[in-house]
Amino acid sequence: MSVDPTGTIEGLLVESRRYPPNPEFAASANVNDPEIYQRASDDPEGFWASVAAELDWDQKWDTVLEWDPPKVSWFNGGKLNVSYNCVDRHVKTWRKTKAAIIWEGEAGEERILTYQELYREVNRTALMLKSLGVAKGDRVAVYLPMIPELAIILLACARIGAPHSVVFGGFSPDSLSDRINDCGAKVLVTADGGFRRGAVVALKENADKALEDTPTIEHVVVVQRVGAEKHPVEMKKGRDIWWHDAMAAVSGNYCAPESLDAEHPLYILYTSGTTGKPKGVLHTTGGYLVGAYATSKWVLDLKDDDIYWCTADIGWVTGHSYIVYGPLANGATSVMFEGTPDYPDRDRFWDIIERRAITVLYTAPTAIRACMRWGTEHVEKHDLSSLRLLGTVGEPINPEAWIWYNDHIGHGKCPIVDTWWQTETGAIMISGLPGLTTMKPGSATVPLPGIVPDIVDEQGNSVPDGQGGYLVMRRPWPSMFRTIWGDWDRYVSTYFSKYGPNVYVTGDGAKRDDEGYIWLMGRVDDVLNVAGHRLGTMEIESALVSHPSVAEAAVIGVSDELKGQAVAAFVTPRLGVDANDALVNELRAHVSEKIGPIARPDRIFFTAELPKTRSAKIMRRLLRDVAEGRVMGDTTTLTDPTVLEEIKKQYEDTGAAE
Ligand code: WTA
């Protein structure tokens, strides 16, 4: 859904349905006094300091914010430990025996870890990491399926101050080795395999391939998830060790949490950008935890009797902030699910909600749209009356999907929070508060307290209400990323140069209506959002061009009913290459192997030439116009406008337009 940010979207303005807060919900909501907004805007630093004071600090900060644009640091001089805040402090209370993590495996297996059990595991895992030579500051790469060890290893890393870098289990060996090399990880934690719709995902084989080219890795810890009977794996002597063996060798149950500077790196998470190389988004200890903690409390309204489920994978930022750090910092019960919504049947989500009496559900529009398409009969089989609050994240939710979610899942009694944020922001930025905000389907509503967005034109002037523009942030917030790992210049040039160092550029287009509600319009750069996952067009193009039959490629996102966006590739084959269906399949498999199945192009279209400007820049915007059957935008800067006409004709003739 890339947009021309200077245009207006009339369609969105006609959405007139309003969902005011339910008084009963509001009465007991964590936030139900609107003065919070005023307090935050009157004194932002005092406001954030009062939020931070709800966490446990070993040493209080000297200054709340130091801002030397674009350099930012929060809670300077303060010391704390994230794992202490997420685990130890609850163990000292009645929550000791409360479920911290309820895990459900794909085949229906269950593991419940109370805060006490989690505490023990995290401590022992931290000792295990130390025994492998991991020290404060060393990076640990994590390539695991959605199993409890994933949450445990994150907290163990946080305990000893070793930044983790989680790589989503669906990424290829190449993607894994790139990330390991970029952050210089010393240890990799992986598994013998994972499960996806009953089949084994060969994580260890992928890791072995990745590790052919990763000089910094000294040890590989392997969790046995699948078992040797089903899926034997090779263990390399001297390098690989089974998780259970390493844990058995640990003596002691306590590893003192490192008292870390608020600005100590907590994790690096790679995300796609507008150039080929993914960016290592760096989050730090104090500010990040404040953001994840506060937003879980305000937006997800987590309370002690909630059974809260975020359906994301911990391989993405949503899982970091809203399965692990945010909920656990609140002492909540967080459900972790290994599988997919349609396995073994299309009612899996609803079945889990009924069986586990889930009260708060946080999921993605793409999942909601899929369930909508499968039909309400799968939903109606289940009693969903335990639900009290629903959330969405990852992409704009179309009003129809919002209404369906409201009617069929929430039965009209659950507020819906549409939460806008990014890997870079660390925590939710724009979202209604369920006890306060009147929701409008399709709008992420209003900024959270302490968050100061604006919508600006090309020159950086605020645009009038109703007009589209670039979404920016005018003030720093605690959970913002601090740099791109190892590349401060790229941090500055990507995010803080368009309008100067004071203004953070999100990369999204947006519009504000006359009541101040924000409507997100999708990315304005070359980043795609496929089923809520960010992919860079350049990354996919590089993968395509690395195939011997390809001379050049341009990748764009085209609207897709289910996934939001689908990947379409315009490919120029090398001379003499037969561009046939077999090549289409080969190229799709090639991208899948290079990046991972999520990046596989949905459509590939061969063309003798690509439309380029006189400075040889591929005009992806015009290809999008072709693919979406729009009136062509400005073509005057093209070297040869007939190229585009030719593509358009062929595109329509081959039926690729469908
Ligand atoms: C998009 C995921 C509209 C947006 C947390 C953003 C959204 C990108 C929403 C970040 C939403 C996320 N409404 N668009 N509620 N939430 N986005 O880094 O384009 O994987 O820039 O973080 O997703 O994706 P990321």
Side-chain angles (χ1 to χ4, degrees):
M1 203 179 298
S2 273
V3 289
D4 174 359
T6 56
T8 55
I9 290 198
E10 295 305 331
L12 293 178
L13 276 178
V14 302
E15 177 56 63
S16 56
R17 286 166 285 197
R18 301 281 184 279
Y19 291 79
N22 163 345
E24 209 181 308
F25 185 101
S28 59
N30 284 340
V31 183
N32 51 16
D33 185 347
E35 66 81 44
I36 188 171
Y37 290 103
Q38 196 58 45
R39 194 153 48 89
S41 77
D42 288 348
D43 175 15
E45 292 180 28
F47 172 74
W48 285 119
S50 72
V51 179
E54 293 178 29
L55 298 172
D56 271 34
W57 295 76
D58 302 332
Q59 190 177 302
K60 207 184 158 193
W61 53 89
D62 304 320
T63 56
V64 177
L65 168 64
E66 276 171 36
W67 189 19
D68 175 16
K71 195 176 177 326
V72 151
S73 57
W74 285 87
F75 311 113
N76 262 299
K79 284 186 185 285
L80 77 167
N81 184 281
V82 167
S83 91
Y84 182 91
N85 273 281
C86 289
V87 188
D88 301 38
R89 70 174 180 146
H90 307 308
V91 168
K92 297 184 173 163
T93 70
W94 66 271
R95 290 194 186 115
K96 188 181 175 103
T97 52
K98 174 181 175 172
I101 292 174
I102 298 181
W103 173 80
E104 180 161 323
E106 194 186 67
E109 313 94 302
E110 173 182 274
R111 269 176 76 189
I112 297 180
L113 291 167
T114 61
Y115 273 96
Q116 172 63 26
E117 286 161 335
L118 181 63
Y119 171 77
R120 184 182 146 88
E121 292 300 320
V122 169
N123 272 283
R124 290 177 52 79
T125 306
L127 291 172
M128 184 262 276
L129 286 173
K130 279 189 166 176
S131 75
L132 295 176
V134 179
K136 177 176 158 184
D138 289 340
R139 276 81 62 205
V140 174
V142 179
Y143 185 61
L144 282 174
M146 278 286 284
I147 52 178
E149 285 78 4
L150 179 44
I152 292 166
I153 192 78
L154 265 48
L155 293 161
C157 286
R159 196 166 190 86
I160 62 174
H164 54 74
S165 185
V166 180
V167 180
F168 173 58
F171 275 123
S172 67
D174 280 358
S175 300
L176 176 60
S177 65
D178 286 350
R179 286 157 174 76
I180 289 174
N181 289 332
D182 190 81
C183 72
K186 193 169 187 179
V187 164
L188 170 69
V189 182
T190 186
D192 56 349
F195 290 104
R196 188 153 178 96
R197 299 200 170 85
V200 173
V201 182
L203 291 173
K204 179 63 166 64
E205 279 90 329
N206 284 351
D208 284 337
K209 271 188 224 152
L211 293 169
E212 284 167 13
D213 186 23
T214 53
T216 56
I217 293 287
E218 293 174 11
H219 293 286
V220 180
V221 185
V222 187
V223 180
Q224 194 168 50
R225 167 69 187 118
V226 179
E229 246 166 63
K230 255 197 193 141
H231 188 70
V233 295
E234 258 176 59
M235 296 290 280
K236 188 169 167 185
K237 240 187 136 134
R239 185 193 72 180
D240 301 354
I241 179 165
W242 288 106
W243 172 287
H244 51 264
D245 289 338
M247 290 289 272
V250 165
S251 62
N253 292 323
Y254 182 69
C255 173
E258 287 276 345
S259 191
L260 299 168
D261 287 338
E263 287 295 327
H264 185 78
L266 176 63
Y267 68 79
I268 301 160
L269 183 60
Y270 287 85
T271 188
S272 295
T274 51
T275 67
K277 196 167 159 261
K279 301 175 285 201
V281 166
L282 178 77
H283 282 291
T284 57
T285 300
Y288 173 80
L289 192 65
V290 168
Y293 162 79
T295 50
S296 300
K297 181 175 168 183
W298 302 339
V299 180
L300 303 170
D301 197 49
L302 297 184
K303 307 229 178 64
D304 264 323
D305 50 3
D306 277 314
I307 308 286
Y308 157 73
W309 180 25
C310 166
T311 67
D313 191 295
I314 296 175
W316 309 105
V317 75
T318 304
H320 283 60
S321 297
Y322 298 108
I323 296 177
V324 183
Y325 293 118
L328 298 180
N330 278 276
T333 296
S334 182
V335 172
M336 204 178 149
F337 173 51
E338 184 186 32
T340 49
D342 57 349
Y343 185 85
D345 287 308
R346 290 175 165 179
D347 67 340
R348 185 69 188 264
F349 272 17
W350 323 122
D351 177 51
I352 291 177
I353 291 171
E354 177 173 7
R355 271 189 294 108
R356 304 201 175 275
I358 303 290
T359 57
V360 178
L361 174 69
Y362 191 31
T363 191
T366 189
I368 298 167
R369 288 193 298 264
C371 293
M372 253 172 101
R373 180 181 278 195
W374 297 333
T376 51
E377 66 267 27
H378 303 289
V379 180
E380 281 153 13
K381 275 194 246 162
H382 297 282
D383 174 6
L384 305 182
S385 58
S386 56
L387 288 171
R388 67 179 192 88
L389 173 62
L390 305 173
T392 80
V393 56
E395 55 184 312
I397 180 165
N398 21 340
E400 300 72 47
W402 197 103
I403 300 287
W404 187 88
Y405 199 28
N406 180 69
D407 293 353
H408 295 282
I409 309 305
H411 294 288
K413 73 173 179 63
C414 303
I416 298 179
V417 285
D418 174 354
T419 64
W420 179 91
W421 59 295
Q422 310 178 292
T423 307
E424 293 88 339
T425 69
I428 300 169
M429 303 285 281
I430 302 173
S431 167
L433 292 176
L436 279 177
T437 315
T438 293
M439 307 298 178
K440 299 185 189 180
S443 167
T445 75
V446 293
L448 289 183
I451 303 301
V452 189
D454 197 2
I455 300 170
V456 301
D457 63 16
E458 202 61 51
Q459 286 69 42
N461 306 310
S462 304
V463 299
D465 290 345
Q467 189 176 314
Y470 299 97
L471 179 69
V472 299
M473 297 293 153
R474 291 212 179 269
R475 276 194 61 85
W477 61 99
S479 66
M480 72 191 283
F481 66 142
R482 300 295 195 260
T483 189
I484 291 173
W485 182 260
D487 203 345
W488 171 257
D489 290 347
R490 191 173 175 201
Y491 177 74
V492 178
S493 66
T494 309
Y495 301 101
F496 297 97
S497 67
K498 193 172 166 82
Y499 305 115
N502 292 297
V503 181
Y504 167 74
V505 177
T506 66
D508 276 28
K511 197 188 68 133
R512 204 170 353 215
D513 67 20
D514 50 11
E515 291 176 305
Y517 280 53
I518 295 173
W519 300 78
L520 278 308
M521 293 155 64
R523 302 287 307 190
V524 290
D525 54 13
D526 291 324
V527 173
L528 310 183
N529 191 331
V530 178
H533 297 143
R534 263 168 78 169
L535 293 167
T537 52
M538 284 282 287
E539 266 173 279
I540 307 176
E541 286 166 9
S542 310
L544 284 165
V545 175
S546 72
H547 188 280
S549 300
V550 175
E552 202 170 35
V555 165
I556 57 165
V558 293
S559 303
D560 182 276
E561 209 185 299
L562 216 55
K563 299 199 276 187
Q565 278 189 313
V567 178
F570 291 78
V571 172
T572 306
R574 286 187 187 235
L575 281 180
V577 167
D578 187 11
N580 52 23
D581 288 351
L583 182 58
V584 168
N585 293 334
E586 210 180 302
L587 292 179
R588 297 179 70 195
H590 182 72
V591 173
S592 192
E593 195 190 302
K594 284 278 163 194
I595 305 175
I598 45 167
R600 187 193 289 129
D602 297 271
R603 292 172 221 170
I604 292 185
F605 181 71
F606 293 110
T607 171
E609 269 184 86
L610 291 169
K612 290 195 192 135
T613 60
R614 278 174 216 115
S615 57
K617 205 169 169 265
I618 298 172
M619 296 285 281
R620 294 188 190 80
R621 176 171 58 80
L622 297 175
L623 291 172
R624 279 196 296 266
D625 290 344
V626 171
E628 295 188 344
R630 268 195 302 267
V631 181
M632 209 80 75
D634 181 14
T635 59
T636 52
T637 53
L638 287 181
T639 341
D640 179 3
T642 60
V643 168
L644 198 68
E645 284 308 320
E646 192 53 34
I647 292 177
K648 196 174 169 196
K649 195 163 151 289
Q650 282 179 40
Y651 194 84
E652 282 158 7
D653 288 353
T654 56
E658 264 118 62

